[in-house]
Amino acid sequence: MKALTRGLMTIALLAATAACDGSPTEASSFVAGDGISAAPPPAPGTLTFTATQSYSEQTPQTASGGTGTINFTGSIYSPTPCYSVSASNANRKGVITLTVTAASTGGTCTQVITNNNYTGSISGLAAGTYTFNVVHVTNGTSETAYSSTVTVQ
């Protein structure tokens, strides 16, 4: 019976693959047992992030909700302009945490306090009310820079 079921599942997969341009998708592929692999769980949201440097202007920390999206701005300072800025996000039970990290690029650099201004969004979110936290990490030291409730439509 197991061999018959596997054979029928293989025929169904081949028919579906032929109908979909010949390449199986993750959701239509079979795993090494008798089951079908499930699609991965939804991501915590798709992060879009850009940063620019300024010696004089600092972008205020803001967050606002949109359709399936949280838009944000802010600024993380560094002791020199020789820092790269990156971000990551996590969504845990309605609390979205954006971690913005300033990491030294090394080398000799002028000692000028630099505002690393950033803007971005987290999209692909379900409608609802979220707690949105921004954590800044510079030289291994972290601090909560912003916390607010944001409503996503």
Side-chain angles (χ1 to χ4, degrees):
M1 182 67 163
K2 191 174 188 179
L4 177 62
T5 302
R6 182 172 282 201
L8 291 174
M9 292 172 80
T10 301
I11 292 170
L13 175 62
L14 292 173
T17 301
C20 295
D21 84 352
S23 60
T25 63
E26 184 175 334
S28 68
S29 62
F30 289 102
V31 292
D34 284 339
I36 298 174
S37 83
T46 302
L47 175 64
T48 303
F49 181 85
T50 58
T52 57
Q53 292 185 327
S54 173
Y55 301 123
S56 59
E57 297 194 27
Q58 182 178 9
T59 302
Q61 296 290 152
T62 65
S64 61
T67 304
T69 303
I70 294 176
N71 300 301
F72 58 85
T73 64
S75 185
I76 182 173
Y77 76 91
S78 58
T80 74
C82 297
Y83 275 69
S84 63
V85 177
S86 61
S88 62
N89 67 301
N91 182 351
R92 302 219 191 328
K93 297 183 180 182
V95 177
I96 296 179
T97 302
L98 173 71
T99 302
V100 180
T101 303
S104 174
T105 57
T108 304
C109 199
T110 306
Q111 298 292 311
V112 178
I113 292 178
T114 305
N115 295 307
N116 298 280
N117 299 319
Y118 57 84
T119 184
S121 64
I122 300 172
S123 60
L125 300 171
T129 300
Y130 294 86
T131 299
F132 182 69
N133 298 318
V134 179
V135 176
H136 286 171
V137 180
T138 305
N139 295 327
T141 302
S142 66
E143 69 174 336
T144 300
Y146 182 81
S147 185
S148 179
T149 300
V150 179
T151 301
V152 173
Q153 301 150 3

